[in-house]
Amino acid sequence: VNEAALMAARVGRRFVTMEEFEEAKDKVMMGVERRSMVLTPEQKEMTAYHEAGHAVVGMKLPKCDPVYKATIIPRGQALGMVVSLPEMDKLNYHKDEAKQKIAMTMAGKAAEILKWGEEHVSNGPAGDIMQASAIARAMVMRWGMSDKVGNIDYSEAHEGYQGNTGGFSVSTKTKELIEEEVRELIDAGYKEARRILMENQEDWERLAQGLLEYETLTGEEIRKVMSGEAIHGD
């Protein structure tokens, strides 16, 4: 609210409108827009297909939070992003939901490889890989969601992954098993994302082109673009 009030004051408004609230929410959640950053047409195109990949997979998977907004305007450290928001406060995570979240997270890399091939993938998915790894490690090491590792809390090892937890050391065999399970979860998520993008190539293509044209799209606008409808009344 304070950020929205500052934005309204900067443009000389006497009242704070929904426009300022939306801008403030985006700034707080997504970071400050960096319109001064110049992207080459190639970088912009890769960002559009990458983010469209996240959005399409997120919208096709029922347990993912609804997609709130997609943008290819650089914000914070990111060249673009897709933001999903839960419809209500989230108090717990379920196994199928966590798997689908990993798939949505890996969809950016899957999109780049499908569009340009293995050798032309960028370092853009670095943040996605960190996020997917964090979810998969939590599933295996804290939430008891791996049958092979079992219902053992390796939370200290999860936080720092130093190989020591609760006063006893984690064996090499257990560490290898944990990493094998983490890798399997991430690989399965990547394969699921790739499958969804291949089955919905037209939607993905339309959305990427829509992002290149409009730069930022809301969830409702994304749905319209994917179904071939006009947005903004044009």
Side-chain angles (χ1 to χ4, degrees):
V1 172
N2 186 56
E3 191 64 52
L6 291 170
M7 287 175 170
R10 283 191 202 110
V11 294
R13 285 194 172 137
R14 291 177 58 222
F15 302 99
V16 182
T17 69
M18 278 306 295
E19 190 180 334
E20 280 82 41
F21 282 124
E22 279 289 323
E23 284 181 27
K25 182 163 68 170
D26 288 354
K27 182 179 175 183
V28 171
M29 285 173 47
M30 301 161 71
V32 181
E33 277 192 358
R34 295 198 293 163
R35 287 187 176 272
S36 58
M37 179 183 273
V38 179
L39 299 182
T40 65
E42 291 80 13
Q43 287 171 324
K44 203 169 179 183
E45 185 183 37
M46 182 167 269
T47 303
Y49 279 93
H50 179 112
E51 301 306 335
H54 284 306
V56 168
V57 172
M59 293 174 104
K60 298 293 178 184
L61 290 170
K63 295 293 179 79
C64 286
D65 292 329
V67 173
Y68 156 70
K69 194 166 277 188
T71 184
I72 58 167
I73 297 170
R75 282 181 176 271
Q77 298 302 306
L79 298 183
M81 64 180 65
V82 171
V83 177
S84 297
L85 290 179
E87 291 173 312
M88 58 186 72
D89 288 344
K90 187 154 286 182
L91 303 174
N92 49 23
Y93 247 123
H94 299 105
K95 187 174 180 178
D96 56 352
E97 189 182 348
K99 283 179 168 181
Q100 290 185 19
K101 178 72 175 167
I102 291 172
M104 181 183 176
T105 304
M106 294 305 295
K109 182 167 187 177
E112 289 188 17
I113 290 173
L114 277 173
K115 184 70 180 172
W116 289 284
E118 288 274 358
E119 292 304 308
H120 200 63
V121 67
S122 74
N123 65 343
D128 299 337
I129 290 167
M130 284 175 63
Q131 192 180 347
S133 300
I135 297 168
R137 283 209 170 98
M139 289 172 73
V140 174
M141 302 172 75
R142 300 175 70 186
W143 301 341
M145 291 180 181
S146 161
D147 293 337
K148 288 183 184 175
V149 174
N151 300 315
I152 302 167
D153 177 17
Y154 291 106
S155 55
E156 284 182 36
H158 173 258
E159 301 303 332
Y161 205 46
Q162 299 300 313
N164 189 289
T165 178
F168 65 92
S169 61
V170 181
S171 69
T172 303
K173 183 182 175 184
T174 301
K175 281 193 261 186
E176 286 175 357
L177 183 61
I178 287 168
E179 287 307 320
E180 189 181 303
E181 289 289 274
V182 167
R183 178 191 283 270
E184 276 189 24
L185 283 166
I186 295 170
D187 285 352
Y190 172 82
K191 284 172 186 168
E192 176 71 351
R194 186 183 172 93
R195 178 189 68 77
I196 291 168
L197 289 176
M198 288 176 77
E199 288 178 3
N200 297 275
Q201 277 190 303
E202 201 172 320
D203 289 352
W204 173 40
E205 185 70 37
R206 278 185 187 146
L207 183 51
Q209 292 304 317
L211 283 170
L212 284 168
E213 184 175 349
Y214 295 105
E215 294 189 319
T216 298
L217 295 169
T218 64
E220 188 53 42
E221 289 167 347
I222 289 169
R223 276 181 278 278
K224 285 183 177 178
V225 167
M226 281 166 59
S227 62
E229 295 175 43
I231 62 171
H232 303 327
D234 53 5

